[in-house]
């Protein structure tokens, strides 16, 4: 990707995710996690860079049977480290996926779309971007901890989106662009 395009997308991404009283996405993310978990910011800063490895260790330790849907769902509903791992990905590894959301937003705008479904919404970063872009947003996931964190992030920014727990709710057919 061209460096100028990368920088433009990075700025759009950071602007959508950052809390209004911060100038750094990392500082904003650490503050957000600190508020949510009630943990010291320095502890959060220490967890973030290790979260990918800790998430993998948790997965292996619990011996998840990937052929058993309930085993997978149970794991995602009983881990909190995934919130840290996804936040780290969204603030420190932008060139490995998160900026694709900005590209998707550009495409959606070009086609005049206004309804966005974030299926497997994770921590809702894509939802924040699309909400900032004026979209009607639905976040859908199987993980209660993730949906709770998305709800916290939305409330923190005075934003609203529909949240769907895919364990108990169905998508509205044909409701999304």
């Amino acid at each position: 990707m061209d460096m100028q395009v990368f920088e433009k997308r990075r700025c759009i991404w950071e602007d959508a995710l950052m809390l209004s009283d911060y100038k750094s996405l990392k500082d904003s993310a650490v503050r957000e996690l600190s508020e949510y978990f009630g943990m010291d910011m320095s502890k959060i800063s220490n967890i973030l860079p290790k979260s990918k490895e800790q998430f993998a260790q948790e997965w292996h330790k619990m011996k998840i049977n990937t052929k058993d849907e309930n085993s997978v769902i149970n794991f995602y509903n009983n881990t909190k480290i995934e919130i840290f791992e996804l936040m780290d990905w969204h603030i420190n590894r932008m060139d490995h996926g998160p900026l694709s959301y900005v590209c998707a937003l550009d495409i959606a705008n070009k086609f005049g779309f206004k309804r966005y479904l974030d299926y497997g919404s994770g921590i809702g970063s894509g939802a924040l971007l699309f909400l900032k872009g004026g979209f009607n947003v639905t976040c859908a996931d199987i993980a209660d901890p993730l949906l709770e964190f998305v709800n916290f992030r939305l409330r923190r920014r005075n934003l609203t989106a529909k949240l769907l727990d895919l364990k108990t709710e169905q998508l509205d057919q044909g409701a999304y662009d």
Side-chain angles (χ1 to χ4, degrees):
M1 173 183 336
D2 174 287
M3 211 45 193
Q4 190 175 8
V5 171
F6 176 85
E7 275 305 306
K8 180 182 176 196
R9 288 182 183 166
R10 184 190 61 76
C11 288
I12 292 168
W13 178 253
E14 288 185 356
D15 184 55
L17 270 59
M18 240 185 308
L19 297 171
S20 61
D21 46 345
Y22 282 84
K23 300 275 189 254
S24 151
L25 180 57
K26 183 176 182 180
D27 291 344
S28 173
V30 169
R31 164 59 71 192
E32 201 164 15
L33 289 167
S34 174
E35 288 176 9
Y36 183 72
F37 286 106
M39 294 170 62
D40 183 77
M41 289 176 61
S42 62
K43 186 171 184 178
I44 299 287
S45 294
N46 288 330
I47 293 171
L48 280 171
K50 301 171 192 167
S51 60
K52 181 179 179 182
E53 183 178 318
Q54 288 176 335
F55 181 74
Q57 287 172 352
E58 230 177 81
W59 178 272
H60 292 295
K61 181 181 175 186
M62 292 185 69
K63 296 180 174 50
I64 306 305
N65 177 359
T66 57
K67 293 181 170 98
D68 176 11
E69 182 179 310
N70 289 327
S71 177
V72 174
I73 290 171
N74 184 53
F75 172 77
Y76 283 109
N77 278 286
N78 288 294
T79 184
K80 300 248 191 290
I81 195 66
E82 184 181 20
I83 294 170
F84 291 90
E85 193 276 328
L86 290 171
M87 187 67 85
D88 183 62
W89 183 51
H90 292 168
I91 65 173
N92 290 317
R93 296 177 267 150
M94 286 181 228
D95 57 336
H96 295 272
L99 293 187
S100 297
Y101 284 100
V102 179
C103 184
L105 177 63
D106 287 343
I107 293 167
N109 280 324
K110 284 179 185 162
F111 283 93
F113 296 147
K114 285 295 166 197
R115 294 167 301 188
Y116 170 71
L117 169 64
D118 196 346
Y119 191 85
S121 61
I123 60 172
S125 297
L128 295 175
L129 174 72
F130 276 79
L131 282 165
K132 179 134 180 134
F135 281 70
N136 179 334
V137 172
T138 299
C139 298
D141 211 298
I142 61 165
D144 296 333
L146 297 179
L147 288 170
E148 290 164 8
F149 186 64
V150 171
N151 191 38
F152 166 80
R153 294 182 89 189
L154 293 169
R155 284 192 330 266
R156 176 71 167 79
R157 292 167 173 80
N158 295 313
L159 298 171
T160 57
K162 183 176 181 179
L163 302 180
L164 282 179
D165 181 344
L166 293 171
K167 296 183 302 302
T168 59
E169 299 174 89
Q170 299 290 316
L171 296 174
D172 296 330
Q173 295 301 312
Y176 306 102
D177 297 325

